[in-house]
Amino acid sequence: WVFVWEKGYQETDSVVSSVTTKVKGVTLTNTSALGARIWDVADYVIPPQEENTVFVMTNAILTLSQRQGRCPELPDDKTKCKVNNSCVPGYVSTHSNGIQTGECVPYNSSVKTCEVLAWCPVEDDYHIPKPAFLQEAENFTILVKNNIWYPKFNFSKRNILPTINSTYLKNCIYDSQTDPFCPIFRLGKIVEAAGQNFQEMAVEGGVMALQINWDCNLDRAASHCVPKYSFRRLDNKDSAHTVSPGYNFRFAKYYKDSNDTETRTLVKAYGIRFDIIVFGKAGKFDVIPTMINIGSGLALFGVATVLCDIVVLYCMKKKYYYREKKYKYVEDYEL
């Protein structure tokens, strides 16, 4: 067990890793608010680069042409009103879009809400678009470039193997059976391999793990040290707990309109965050752990004798018989 299975004759080291990513893909949307619009990498990868992580926006709620001013708050139990006395000047809660002015103003023809100082019009995020805004995101691809190093053995390698040429890299897509070492992954296949449905996950977002395992036996040729990829969802979807599901955040794009007024487009972005997790260890023959494990094994033989004596002399039914055979009692010479 120690020497064959656990390779007790080897010195081991943990992997040191760096990861860079590149997403590719273009899609078209056509809505009444935006019209026909092309979305490319600069639009849906936010931010452009992160450490060991890439976020791809799959759904969004857009609030266009916001300007700072006075406007009615979204209606809810705390913001609906009938008279000005219902609104408290200066009041703000954690869910407010702005600071109340104390006025009660019409939100629409049938509802009045408290007026706020805010970016107007305020965002209405009660209804999430279904199906997802960027349905075609499942056909986008992500190139993962991973360099690893085992400092104790001064061994380094990357997941773009020496056998991969530029022609193959331009055309391959990862497949566990046909292309297990291709570093380009289709987003839909990553989610599918984790047992999830991409279109369902794209609506409210989520977090996926792309795991790269580098377990290497450096007593063998370096060509045998290759990455193994696996996938799983990190924010497990639980039908019994549906409060605040998925993954989303907000950001804004600022500009000045024709009147030189500061204006912004507010985006509530839903999407999938892909975390690239690299782990592994390498082993190589070394005389010191070999001698330590041999010594430990020999010591265990001595312990085994003691344990067997305890069992035979104190636990078994014929312990008195064994004791008579093991020990010989003699009379004291002086007596």
Side-chain angles (χ1 to χ4, degrees):
W1 175 266
V2 172
F3 279 90
V4 177
W5 186 258
E6 295 292 337
K7 295 182 175 62
Y9 55 87
Q10 290 184 335
E11 183 74 23
T12 60
D13 193 15
S14 297
V15 69
V16 177
S17 166
S18 70
V19 174
T20 58
T21 60
K22 184 183 292 184
V23 180
K24 288 189 176 181
V26 179
T27 188
L28 170 69
T29 61
N30 194 350
T31 63
S32 57
L34 297 176
R37 176 169 175 172
I38 295 293
W39 296 78
D40 63 12
V41 177
D43 296 312
Y44 59 74
V45 176
I46 310 158
Q49 282 293 319
E50 289 187 87
E51 185 177 356
N52 298 345
T53 297
V54 59
F55 174 83
V56 177
M57 184 175 71
T58 56
N59 206 4
I61 295 174
L62 304 176
T63 308
L64 305 176
S65 303
Q66 281 191 322
R67 300 176 180 85
Q68 291 210 3
R70 294 169 174 250
C71 53
E73 179 65 282
L74 283 180
D76 61 28
D77 294 339
K78 294 184 178 179
T79 60
K80 288 181 181 179
C81 61
K82 292 183 178 180
V83 293
N84 290 343
N85 292 340
S86 303
C87 303
V88 181
Y91 174 78
V92 59
S93 73
T94 54
H95 300 289
S96 297
N97 287 292
I99 300 173
Q100 290 188 12
T101 63
E103 299 290 324
C104 183
V105 296
Y107 179 79
N108 55 34
S109 59
S110 59
V111 176
K112 282 188 173 184
T113 61
C114 294
E115 185 184 58
V116 290
L117 284 168
W119 285 94
C120 300
V122 296
E123 178 191 62
D124 183 357
D125 62 347
Y126 286 157
H127 303 288
I128 303 173
K130 291 183 182 180
F133 192 59
L134 300 179
Q135 298 179 63
E136 294 300 316
E138 68 175 327
N139 295 318
F140 298 165
T141 60
I142 176 173
L143 167 64
V144 177
K145 293 191 282 187
N146 175 215
N147 290 70
I148 59 108
W149 178 44
Y150 288 105
K152 191 176 289 186
F153 310 120
N154 196 27
F155 177 85
S156 60
K157 201 167 185 178
R158 65 176 187 156
N159 67 328
I160 303 178
L161 303 177
T163 55
I164 294 177
N165 57 39
S166 58
T167 303
Y168 175 77
L169 194 62
K170 287 179 180 178
N171 298 288
C172 76
I173 296 291
Y174 171 84
D175 185 277
S176 59
Q177 301 298 322
T178 59
D179 295 276
F181 303 121
C182 178
I184 299 176
F185 303 85
R186 182 172 166 268
L187 302 190
K189 280 193 172 183
I190 293 177
V191 176
E192 181 183 340
Q196 304 292 316
N197 182 291
F198 186 91
Q199 293 301 332
E200 288 181 4
M201 193 175 181
V203 173
E204 295 181 317
V207 183
M208 290 293 305
L210 192 162
Q211 301 171 134
I212 309 177
N213 184 11
W214 288 91
D215 281 343
C216 299
N217 183 357
L218 298 184
D219 289 330
R220 305 173 68 187
S223 59
H224 289 95
C225 182
V226 292
K228 293 181 180 178
Y229 300 100
S230 59
F231 316 95
R232 66 184 301 265
R233 184 170 181 174
L234 296 179
D235 65 321
N236 290 325
K237 187 175 181 180
D238 187 352
S239 58
H241 300 87
T242 57
V243 177
S244 189
Y247 180 52
N248 65 80
F249 59 88
R250 291 175 175 83
F251 68 95
K253 296 180 179 180
Y254 295 86
Y255 59 95
K256 288 192 176 183
D257 62 12
S258 57
N259 297 322
D260 204 32
T261 303
E262 186 179 29
T263 311
R264 75 178 189 182
T265 298
L266 179 65
V267 182
K268 184 176 183 181
Y270 298 82
I272 304 174
R273 193 183 76 194
F274 295 90
D275 292 346
I276 294 90
I277 302 172
V278 183
F279 59 95
K281 68 176 183 177
K284 193 173 185 179
F285 173 80
D286 191 274
V287 68
I288 293 176
T290 302
M291 297 305 297
I292 289 174
N293 282 305
I294 289 174
S296 300
L298 294 174
L300 284 174
F301 282 121
V303 174
T305 304
V306 175
L307 291 176
C308 288
D309 279 349
I310 292 172
V311 171
V312 169
L313 297 174
Y314 296 99
C315 300
M316 298 185 69
K317 290 182 178 180
K318 295 185 179 181
K319 55 188 175 183
Y320 299 108
Y321 172 78
Y322 292 122
R323 189 178 289 116
E324 288 177 2
K325 296 299 181 184
K326 181 173 179 67
Y327 300 109
K328 184 177 181 180
Y329 296 94
V330 296
E331 295 181 359
D332 193 317
Y333 177 77
E334 294 294 334
L335 294 175

